[in-house]
C-alpha cells in the first residue's frame, strides 16, 4: 500500500510564541482520494496546511512526497477510468515511485514538489483573461516572445478536459466565483500537482456552484490526484470525501474512513468529547418558563442576510437566555449580527415588542434596547488606544448623541462603578484598554453594554480565551441579568457552558437555523446530534 | 495578576520624579522642538524677541512669525480632526483656499478685474466663500467616508482640480479688491496693535477647543480613528463622523483662504495657499499626533504650526532664497522627526532599555506582571 501514498507528514510540531499550534500530528494522503481535514477554528488545520506548503517552517517532523515521473494530470484522460479511490493497483503508474523526504521553504518550492493550494480568496488576476491566468509565469514562448496562439489553444484544451464552462479569451472577472475557483484548480492541476489543497473552497459558493465544484473534484480524483479538502461544512464532507482527519487543539484526534465515522462521532471528535462520556453528564434541565401569554421581546420571521445566514424565525422573551449553538462557522454569529443589524438583513421582518422595526444601523437597534458583544474582541470590540473609562461610556454616549456629552465627573463615576461591579483589574480608569488582559478587556465591553441598560443583550463568545474564574463570573452574570428580566442571547463553543445558562437553544448548521431545543432536550447528546444532523445517512 | 498590583503601580507612578512626568507629557517633545527652533532664531537674530510699537502696531520678528502662522494654524486644526478620524490627510486644503479666495473676490468685484468699492455686501461674499469651501470638504468627505477611498487619493482630486476651479471662477484673472475694509482681515483694525489674522487663528482654536470640550466630538473622532469597525457596532456611525471632520477641514481651509486673500487684497488662484497643505500635515505630525488616526492633540498641532513658521523665518533671516528654502526645511524636518520618533523618545526616557516603543511598553509591564 506504500505505493498509493502521495504524501505523508509525520510527527509534525509547530509552535508560535505562547502557543503550541501543532503537536505530533500525522497526516497521510493517498492517491486519488478526497481527504477532509476537519477541526474547529484554532484546531491547527491552517497551520498544518501552511507547514505543508512552506509558508511556515515546522519545528520538528518529516514530510515525505511521492517521487515518480508519472504526473497525475495529462497522462490519463477522465473518460474511461472510473475506479473508486485506491483502485489503481500498486506499481501501475510506473517503476520508481518512492517517498522522498522534502522540506518546503516557500509555496513556490512546495509547488515545484507537486503540492498546490487553492485558497478561499481566489488569488488570480481578475483583469486578465482565463488563458493568461492559467499560464502566467510559465507562458509558452516562441522566439523569446509569448506564444499567444499556443496559450489559448492549450487553455481551451485544459478547460474542455476538466469540463469547465469557460473559454480561454474570457476575462476572469466575467466568470462566476465558482468558475474562477475551478480555473484556479485547473491551473494547479496543470502544473502537475500530486496533492491539491482546497482551503474552504465552498464558503462563497451557492448550492449549484458547489455541485459543479464537486464534479470537478471527482474528475480529478479519477485522475489520481490526492485532494485535501479543508472545510467546516459537514454535509459536504459526507457528500464528497473518502477519508477524514480530525484535529483538535493542535493534536491529531484521528484518521477515519468516512463510512466508519458517523456525523455525531465526528462532531464529538471535533469537540473533544468521547461519545460514551456524554451519557454520564447530568444536566440540570431547566424548564423554559411559560411565556406563551406574553408578546415576545424579539420576533424574527424569515429574517436573513444573503451569504451570511439563511432566513430564520426566532422568538425571544424577556428574562430568558437563548443559546445559539453550532460549530464555528455554522452561522451562529451571523444570526446574532442579523438581529442587531451589524450586517443588514435583506429579507424577512423583525418585530421588537410586537411592533415591526427596520434598523438601518446598529444605533437603531441600540435605541430599541439591544446590545451586542461581538465575537472578535480585538477587531470589533475594544477601542484599543482609548482608556477604560472611554471604552465603558462610549455606547451610552453614542446613544445620547454628540450634543449631549456625559460630563467628566459622571463618566468617571460610571467607569468606577463598572470597574468595581465587574471587578475589572486595571491600573486605573484612564489606563488604555489595550494594556489589560483579555478577560478584563471583555469585562470592559460587558460594562459598556450594561451601562446602556439593555433589554436584549447578545453575547457572542463572551468567554473565549478567558481564564476559568472570569468565565464563571460571566456565566453567573448572565443568569443574574436574565433573572432581572433582560433577554440574553448566549453564543459559546463550550456546550457545558451553554447548558448551564440557556433555557432554550437554537441550533445552526451550514448557515441555517435547523432546530430549536428546550426543556428535556437540552442534553449534550441531543444537542450534538442536532448539530451533526442528517441522521439517516449514518445508519 | 495579583490584586495589590494596581496600588503598587499607582504608588510607583506617584513616586516618579518630576522630570519623568515632564518627559512623559505628550506635548513635551513638540514644545522642545519649538524651543530649539526659537533658540536658533535668537542665536541668529539677537533681537528676535524684541517687540516695539511703530505707527500704533506691534512690530518685531516674533510678531511676524505669529502673524504669518495664522493661516497655517487654522489649516492645522482642521487637518488634525480629519487625520484623527480617518487616519489619512486632506491634501486639497491649499487648493480649497484658492477656491475660497476666488469666490469671495469675484462676488465682491461683481465680475470686474479690479474694483475700488464693493459691488456686493462683504457678508454675502464671505458666507459664500465659506459655504463653497465647506462644499469642497463635503465632497472630500463623501469620497472618504461613503465610498471609502483612501483620503490622500480622494483629496488628490481637488488638490489638482481646485486651482483650476478657482481660475474658472475668476475667469483666469487675478481679481483685485482695492478697498481698505477688505484688507482688514489680513491687516490691522485701527487702534488695535495686534494683527487681525492672529485673532482669526485664536478664534478658530478657541471655538474648536470649546466644541471638543462641550460635546462628545473628541470621543467620537478618536473612537472612529482607532477602530472604525468597533465604533460602528457601538452605534457611532463612523462614516458620519469622518464626513463631518472633512467638512470642518474644508470650512477652515476656506477661512484661511479668506485671510490669505485679504492680506494681498486679491484672489491669486495660482499662489494662494500653495504647498500649504504639506505644511499643515507636517504641523499635525510635529505636534506629536499619529498620522494613522486616533488620539489627537489640538495644542500639539498649533505648536507644530508655529514651529514650521519659525523655521521658515529663521531660514529667511539666514538669507536663504525662497527657491532653496525647501531643501533646508526638509533637513530641519528630518532632525525634528527623528527627535520625536518612538525609538529616540524611549532612549531619552530610559537609556538603559533599547528599542522601546513609547509608553505602551511601560503600561503593559505595569499591569500584566
Amino acid at each position: 500500500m506504500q505505493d498509493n501514498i502521495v504524501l505523508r507528514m509525520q510527527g509534525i510540531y509547530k509552535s508560535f510564541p505562547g502557543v503550541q499550534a501543532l503537536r505530533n500530528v500525522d497526516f497521510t494522503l493517498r492517491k486519488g482520494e478526497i481527504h477532509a481535514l476537519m477541526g474547529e477554528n484554532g484546531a491547527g488545520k491552517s497551520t498544518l496546511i501552511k507547514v505543508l506548503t512552506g509558508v511556515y517552517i515546522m519545528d520538528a517532523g518529516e514530510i515525505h512526497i511521492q517521487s515518480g515521473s508519472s504526473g497525475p494530470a495529462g497522462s490519463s484522460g477522465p473518460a474511461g477510468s472510473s475506479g473508486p479511490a485506491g483502485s489503481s493497483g500498486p506499481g501501475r503508474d510506473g517503476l520508481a515511485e518512492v517517498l522522498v523526504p522534502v522540506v518546503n521553504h516557500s509555496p513556490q518550492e512546495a509547488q515545484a514538489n507537486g503540492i498546490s493550494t487553492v485558497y478561499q480568496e481566489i488569488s488570480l488576476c481578475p483583469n486578465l483573461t482565463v488563458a493568461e491566468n492559467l499560464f502566467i509565469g510559465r507562458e509558452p514562448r516562441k522566439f523569446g516572445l509569448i506564444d499567444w496562439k499556443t496559450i489559448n489553444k492549450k487553455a481551451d484544451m485544459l478547460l474542455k478536459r476538466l469540463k469547465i464552462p469557460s473559454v480561454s479569451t474570457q476575462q476572469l472577472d466575467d466568470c462566476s466565483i465558482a468558475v474562477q475557483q475551478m480555473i484556479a484548480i485547473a491551473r494547479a492541476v496543470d502544473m502537475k500537482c500530486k496533492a491539491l489543497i482546497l482551503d474552504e473552497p465552498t464558503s462563497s459558493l451557492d448550492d449549484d456552484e458547489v455541485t459543479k465544484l464537486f464534479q470537478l473534484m471527482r474528475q480529478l480524483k479519477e485522475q489520481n490526484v490526492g485532494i485535501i479538502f479543508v472545510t467546516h461544512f459537514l454535509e459536504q464532507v459526507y457528500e464528497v470525501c473518502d477519508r477524514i482527519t480530525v484535529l483538535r487543539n493542535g493534536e491529531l484526534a484521528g484518521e477515519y474512513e468516512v463510512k466508519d465515522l458517523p456525523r455525531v462521532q465526528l462532531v464529538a471528535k471535533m469537540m473533544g468529547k468521547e461519545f460514551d462520556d456524554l451519557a454520564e453528564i447530568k444536566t440540570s434541565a431547566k424548564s423554559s418558563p411559560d411565556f406563551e401569554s406574553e408578546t415576545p421581546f424579539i420576533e424574527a420571521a424569515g429574517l436573513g442576510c444573503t451569504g451570511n445566514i439563511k432566513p430564520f424565525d426566532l422568538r425571544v422573551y424577556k428574562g430568558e437566555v437563548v443559546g445559539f449553538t453550532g460549530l464555528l462557522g455554522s452561522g451562529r454569529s451571523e444570526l446574532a449580527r442579523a438581529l442587531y443589524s451589524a450586517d443588514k438583513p435583506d429579507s424577512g421582518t423583525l418585530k421588537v415588542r410586537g411592533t415591526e422595526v427596520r434598523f438601518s444601523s446598529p444605533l437603531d437597534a441600540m435605541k430599541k434596547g439591544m446590545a451586542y458583544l461581538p465575537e472578535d474582541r480585538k477587531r470589533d470590540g475594544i477601542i484599543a488606544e482609548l482608556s477604560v473609562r472611554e471604552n465603558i461610556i462610549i455606547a451610552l454616549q453614542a446613544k445620547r448623541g454628540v450634543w449631549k456629552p456625559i460630563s467628566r465627573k459622571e463618566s468617571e463615576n460610571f467607569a468606577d462603578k463598572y470597574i468595581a461591579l465587574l471587578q475589572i483589574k486595571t491600573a486605573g480608569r484612564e489606563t488604555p484598554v489595550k494594556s489589560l488582559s483579555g478577560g478584563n478587556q471583555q469585562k470592559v465591553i460587558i460594562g459598556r453594554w450594561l451601562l446602556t441598560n439593555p433589554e436584549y443583550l447578545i453575547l457572542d463568545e463572551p468567554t473565549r480565551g478567558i481564564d476559568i474564574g472570569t468565565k464563571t463570573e460571566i456565566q453567573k452574570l448572565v443568569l443574574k441579568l436574565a433573572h432581572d428580566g433582560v433577554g440574553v442571547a448566549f453564543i459559546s463553543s463550550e456546550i457545558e457552558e451553554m447548558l448551564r445558562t440557556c433555557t432554550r437553544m437554537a441550533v445552526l448548521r451550514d448557515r441555517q437555523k435547523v432546530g430549536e431545543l428546550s426543556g428535556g432536550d437540552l442534553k449534550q447528546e441531543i444537542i450534538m446530534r442536532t448539530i451533526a444532523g442528517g441522521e439517516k445517512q449514518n445508519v | 495578576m495579583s490584586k495589590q498590583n494596581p496600588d503598587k503601580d499607582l504608588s510607583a507612578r506617584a513616586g516618579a520624579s518630576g522630570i519623568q512626568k515632564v518627559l512623559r507629557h505628550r506635548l513635551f517633545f513638540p514644545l522642545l522642538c519649538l524651543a530649539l527652533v526659537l533658540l536658533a532664531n535668537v542665536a541668529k537674530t539677537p533681537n528676535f524677541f524684541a517687540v516695539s510699537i511703530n505707527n500704533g502696531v506691534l512690530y518685531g520678528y516674533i510678531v511676524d512669525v505669529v502673524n504669518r502662522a495664522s493661516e497655517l494654524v487654522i489649516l492645522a486644526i482642521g487637518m488634525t480632526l480629519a487625520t484623527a478620524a480617518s487616519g489619512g490627510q486632506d491634501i486639497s486644503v491649499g487648493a480649497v483656499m484658492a477656491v475660497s479666495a476666488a469666490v469671495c473676490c469675484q462676488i465682491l468685484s461683481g465680475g470686474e478685474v479690479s474694483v475700488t468699492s464693493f459691488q456686493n455686501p462683504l457678508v454675502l461674499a464671505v458666507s459664500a466663500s465659506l459655504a463653497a469651501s465647506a462644499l469642497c470638504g463635503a465632497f472630500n468627505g463623501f469620497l472618504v467616508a461613503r465610498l471609502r477611498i483612501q483620503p490622500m487619493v480622494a483629496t488628490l482630486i481637488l488638490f489638482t482640480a481646485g486651482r483650476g476651479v478657482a481660475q474658472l471662477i475668476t475667469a483666469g484673472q487675478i481679481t483685485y479688491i482695492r478697498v481698505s475694509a477688505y484688507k482688514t482681515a489680513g491687516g490691522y483694525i485701527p487702534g488695535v496693535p495686534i494683527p487681525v489674522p492672529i485673532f482669526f487663528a485664536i478664534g478658530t482654536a478657541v471655538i474648536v477647543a470649546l466644541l471638543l470640550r462641550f460635546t462628545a466630538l473628541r470621543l467620537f473622532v478618536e473612537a472612529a480613528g482607532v477602530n472604525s469597525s468597533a465604533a460602528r457596532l457601538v452605534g457611532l456611525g463612523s462614516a458620519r463622523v469622518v464626513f463631518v471632520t472633512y467638512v470642518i477641514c474644508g470650512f477652515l481651509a476656506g477661512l484661511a483662504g479668506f485671510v490669505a486673500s485679504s492680506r494681498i487684497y486679491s484672489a491669486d488662484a495660482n499662489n494662494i495657499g500653495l504647498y500649504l497643505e504639506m505644511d499643515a500635515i507636517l504641523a499635525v505630525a510635529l505636534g506629536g499626533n499619529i498620522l494613522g488616526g486616533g488620539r489627537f492633540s489640538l495644542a500639539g498641532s498649533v505648536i507644530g504650526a508655529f514651529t514650521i513658521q519659525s523655521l521658515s523665518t529663521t531660514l529667511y533671516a539666514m538669507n536663504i532664497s525662497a527657491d532653496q528654502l525647501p531643501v533646508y526645511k526638509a533637513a530641519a524636518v528630518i532632525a525634528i522627526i527623528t527627535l520625536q520618533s518612538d525609538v529616540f523618545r524611549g532612549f531619552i526616557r530610559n537609556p538603559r532599555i533599547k528599542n522601546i516603543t513609547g509608553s505602551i511598553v511601560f503600561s503593559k509591564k505595569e499591569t500584566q506582571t
Side-chain angles (χ1 to χ4, degrees):
Chain A
M1 285 306 282
Q2 176 89 351
D3 304 79
N4 270 333
I5 294 174
V6 179
L7 170 84
R8 178 186 280 157
M9 301 174 82
Q10 273 174 317
I12 307 289
Y13 283 82
K14 173 71 195 171
S15 66
F16 297 107
V19 204
Q20 185 73 40
L22 292 175
R23 189 180 295 119
N24 197 19
V25 174
D26 300 336
F27 182 81
T28 310
L29 182 68
R30 291 157 193 81
K31 216 178 267 180
E33 76 171 356
I34 301 178
H35 195 138
L37 185 57
M38 303 286 291
E40 293 206 289
N41 282 12
K45 286 174 298 184
S46 42
T47 310
L48 187 70
I49 296 298
K50 284 179 176 161
V51 164
L52 178 60
T53 53
V55 177
Y56 297 148
I57 306 297
M58 58 198 169
D59 299 338
E62 284 176 21
I63 301 177
H64 294 270
I65 296 177
Q66 172 224 79
S67 106
S69 49
S70 64
S75 55
S76 61
S81 60
S82 58
S87 79
S88 54
R92 197 198 85 166
D93 278 328
L95 319 158
E97 281 202 1
V98 280
L99 287 174
V100 293
V102 292
V103 181
N104 295 321
H105 296 95
S106 70
Q108 286 74 27
E109 211 175 314
Q111 209 158 54
N113 284 321
I115 303 169
S116 288
T117 317
V118 175
Y119 291 101
Q120 187 176 355
E121 305 87 27
I122 296 154
S123 43
L124 298 177
C125 311
N127 50 351
L128 298 184
T129 67
V130 170
E132 284 168 325
N133 269 295
L134 284 170
F135 290 96
I136 192 167
R138 53 190 188 106
E139 302 90 346
R141 283 170 190 269
K142 206 180 197 176
F143 312 120
L145 298 172
I146 294 173
D147 181 2
W148 291 108
K149 234 170 133 182
T150 315
I151 287 188
N152 288 339
K153 211 173 83 194
K154 272 181 148 181
D156 277 327
M157 274 165 61
L158 184 65
L159 294 171
K160 207 173 153 202
R161 188 159 63 78
L162 295 175
K163 297 183 188 133
I164 299 172
S166 173
V167 289
S168 58
T169 49
Q170 197 175 7
Q171 191 165 319
L172 189 78
D173 56 5
D174 289 342
C175 305
S176 70
I177 299 287
V179 170
Q180 293 188 25
Q181 198 113 44
M182 289 177 179
I183 288 163
I185 293 172
R187 177 180 159 86
V189 170
D190 196 54
M191 289 166 84
K192 308 270 183 284
C193 78
K194 298 167 195 148
L196 176 65
I197 302 163
L198 301 179
D199 191 0
E200 298 278 3
T202 55
S203 53
S204 49
L205 305 185
D206 66 31
D207 294 348
D208 266 6
E209 294 173 323
V210 169
T211 316
K212 280 182 199 146
L213 181 70
F214 285 174
Q215 279 169 9
L216 177 61
M217 284 166 69
R218 291 199 187 96
Q219 270 182 51
L220 294 174
K221 173 177 152 178
E222 284 165 13
Q223 295 168 32
N224 276 334
V225 179
I227 297 176
I228 303 174
F229 184 39
V230 183
T231 185
H232 50 241
F233 292 109
L234 293 183
E235 307 279 350
Q236 297 177 355
V237 169
Y238 283 91
E239 194 180 332
V240 79
C241 294
D242 305 302
R243 212 178 281 269
I244 303 176
T245 290
V246 182
L247 296 181
R248 188 180 60 244
N249 295 332
E251 291 183 59
L252 182 68
E255 190 204 78
Y256 312 89
E257 294 221 17
V258 166
K259 60 179 191 298
D260 297 338
L261 188 70
R263 278 158 197 255
V264 182
Q265 288 280 10
L266 172 59
V267 173
K269 296 282 178 215
M270 286 167 68
M271 292 185 157
K273 304 271 174 286
E274 284 309 319
F275 204 52
D276 302 344
D277 296 349
L278 302 181
E280 292 167 22
I281 296 170
K282 286 262 186 286
T283 54
S284 55
K286 291 180 284 293
S287 60
S288 195
D290 182 32
F291 290 110
E292 289 304 311
S293 49
E294 281 179 51
T295 349
F297 179 72
I298 277 183
E299 189 174 5
L303 201 67
C305 185
T306 311
N308 289 325
I309 180 88
K310 291 181 185 158
F312 62 91
D313 298 336
L314 184 76
R315 285 163 170 235
V316 182
Y317 295 88
K318 294 192 81 171
E320 80 172 330
V321 183
V322 179
F324 301 157
T325 188
L327 294 170
L328 282 170
S330 60
R332 47 186 209 202
S333 298
E334 287 75 5
L335 191 150
R337 289 178 68 92
L339 284 177
Y340 184 67
S341 196
D343 302 319
K344 215 171 160 185
D346 49 18
S347 65
T349 57
L350 181 66
K351 285 182 182 170
V352 175
R353 280 191 225 89
T355 32
E356 194 176 327
V357 289
R358 245 173 217 293
F359 298 150
S360 64
S361 71
L363 186 60
D364 293 344
M366 285 164 64
K367 284 185 173 155
K368 288 284 175 196
M370 290 169 77
Y372 169 64
L373 179 139
E375 182 183 15
D376 191 332
R377 185 172 58 229
K378 260 213 173 69
R379 202 189 64 197
D380 298 329
I382 60 165
I383 299 170
E385 265 87 40
L386 298 194
S387 69
V388 171
R389 174 181 61 84
E390 287 166 314
N391 267 282
I392 288 177
I393 62 157
I394 192 157
L396 182 64
Q397 183 64 73
K399 224 170 155 181
R400 285 195 188 177
V402 72
W403 301 111
K404 290 184 192 145
I406 300 169
S407 76
R408 182 70 183 218
K409 189 88 198 84
E410 206 181 348
S411 77
E412 285 175 356
N413 289 341
F414 284 145
D416 288 346
K417 182 180 159 195
Y418 283 97
I419 288 171
L421 183 75
L422 301 171
Q423 296 172 357
I424 299 169
K425 290 186 185 99
T426 170
R429 57 173 113 83
E430 298 305 326
T431 310
V433 76
K434 66 181 172 188
S435 60
L436 269 58
S437 72
N440 284 303
Q441 291 181 357
Q442 197 69 291
K443 285 180 179 179
V444 168
I445 301 173
I446 293 176
R448 170 196 291 173
W449 289 117
L450 292 184
L451 183 59
T452 65
N453 251 330
E455 291 172 273
Y456 184 56
L457 176 63
I458 302 168
L459 299 172
D460 193 351
E461 292 279 7
T463 59
R464 184 189 288 169
I466 283 179
D467 63 276
I468 190 79
T470 313
K471 263 184 193 173
T472 324
E473 281 173 42
I474 291 179
Q475 288 166 22
K476 279 185 194 153
L477 183 72
V478 167
L479 292 174
K480 186 182 165 293
L481 287 170
H483 184 259
D484 295 347
V486 178
V488 182
F490 195 82
I491 302 175
S492 169
S493 295
E494 291 177 37
I495 289 199
E496 291 95 336
E497 195 174 270
M498 301 194 74
L499 285 170
R500 273 198 288 274
T501 49
C502 299
T503 45
R504 199 148 57 88
M505 279 195 201
V507 180
L508 290 108
R509 188 193 327 128
D510 298 352
R511 302 190 179 271
Q512 193 171 8
K513 186 182 165 205
V514 292
E516 227 173 76
L517 301 171
S518 60
D521 287 342
L522 285 182
K523 293 204 178 71
Q524 194 148 12
E525 191 193 327
I526 299 175
I527 295 167
M528 284 168 71
R529 241 181 234 294
T530 319
I531 290 174
E535 241 95 280
K536 52 197 179 295
Q537 293 177 33
N538 292 333
V539 184
Chain B
M1 210 197 301
S2 71
K3 248 198 157 176
Q4 302 122 323
N5 225 3
D7 306 326
K8 216 164 135 193
D9 177 54
L10 282 180
S11 63
R13 191 163 289 181
S17 65
I19 296 171
Q20 278 291 319
K21 245 184 205 164
V22 172
L23 284 177
R24 291 227 183 128
H25 196 277
R26 62 184 304 168
L27 292 182
F28 171 72
F29 280 93
L31 281 170
L32 181 69
C33 294
L34 178 61
L36 287 178
V37 173
L38 289 178
L39 218 61
N41 271 308
V42 175
K44 190 73 199 163
T45 338
N47 62 346
F48 183 75
F49 282 107
V51 176
S52 59
I53 295 191
N54 283 9
N55 299 329
V57 297
L58 288 176
Y59 190 82
Y61 276 107
I62 188 72
V63 178
D64 189 58
V65 167
V66 176
N67 181 9
R68 297 268 155 210
S70 300
E71 286 100 314
L72 191 54
V73 168
I74 297 169
L75 287 183
I77 288 170
M79 189 70 77
T80 309
L81 294 177
T83 299
S86 70
Q89 285 71 42
D90 180 350
I91 59 168
S92 73
V93 288
V96 172
M97 283 174 75
V99 172
S100 159
V103 170
C104 189
C105 292
Q106 200 61 19
I107 290 178
L108 287 178
S109 77
E112 300 295 318
V113 173
S114 178
V115 289
T116 48
S117 66
F118 292 152
Q119 305 300 304
N120 285 300
L122 183 63
V123 180
L124 173 75
V126 174
S127 315
S129 75
L130 293 180
S133 321
L135 196 68
C136 291
F139 174 72
N140 289 331
F142 174 76
L143 295 181
V144 174
R146 286 272 162 238
L147 304 188
R148 307 239 175 115
I149 297 173
Q150 281 210 347
M152 207 163 278
V153 177
T155 55
L156 189 62
I157 298 171
L158 274 180
F159 171 79
T160 10
R163 288 185 192 280
V165 171
Q167 293 273 15
L168 276 177
I169 293 169
T170 61
Q173 309 279 356
I174 296 179
T175 310
Y176 286 95
I177 309 294
R178 299 180 196 280
V179 183
S180 64
Y182 189 65
K183 297 177 191 170
T184 311
Y188 295 87
I189 299 170
V192 182
I194 300 167
V196 176
I198 297 178
F199 290 114
F200 277 101
I202 293 174
T204 305
V206 167
I207 289 170
V208 175
L210 288 177
L211 199 64
L212 293 174
R213 174 73 183 77
F214 290 106
T215 70
L217 188 65
R218 177 182 281 274
L219 183 65
F220 281 27
V221 166
E222 290 183 341
V226 171
N227 187 341
S228 66
S229 159
R232 192 178 88 85
L233 289 178
V234 297
L236 257 178
S238 315
R240 200 180 310 163
V241 175
V242 171
F243 178 79
V244 168
T245 59
Y246 275 82
V247 173
I248 294 176
C249 189
F251 177 86
L252 291 181
L255 184 64
F258 166 65
V259 173
S261 137
S262 171
R263 278 189 204 277
I264 54 172
Y265 51 90
S266 66
D268 181 354
N270 284 332
N271 290 310
I272 279 187
L274 193 64
Y275 303 135
L276 219 51
E277 58 280 332
M278 294 305 152
D279 281 354
I281 295 170
L282 201 55
V284 173
L286 291 186
N289 294 301
I290 300 159
L291 292 185
R295 287 261 191 229
F296 66 93
S297 159
L298 219 53
S301 297
V302 173
I303 292 168
F306 285 126
T307 310
I308 292 169
Q309 193 57 47
S310 320
L311 188 61
S312 304
T313 307
T314 316
L315 295 173
Y316 279 125
M318 291 166 128
N319 284 328
I320 289 163
S321 77
D323 299 334
Q324 296 168 10
L325 192 70
V327 179
Y328 295 92
K329 220 166 164 179
V333 165
I334 291 171
I336 291 172
I337 286 182
T338 311
L339 201 63
Q340 290 210 19
S341 68
D342 279 340
V343 177
F344 189 81
R345 284 178 189 217
F347 181 74
I348 291 286
R349 282 172 183 157
N350 196 347
R352 278 165 304 168
I353 303 172
K354 280 181 188 167
N355 196 15
I356 255 178
T357 47
S359 55
I360 304 155
V361 176
F362 287 115
S363 48
K364 249 186 199 159
K365 264 189 192 157
E366 283 159 2
T367 45
Q368 288 194 342
T369 36

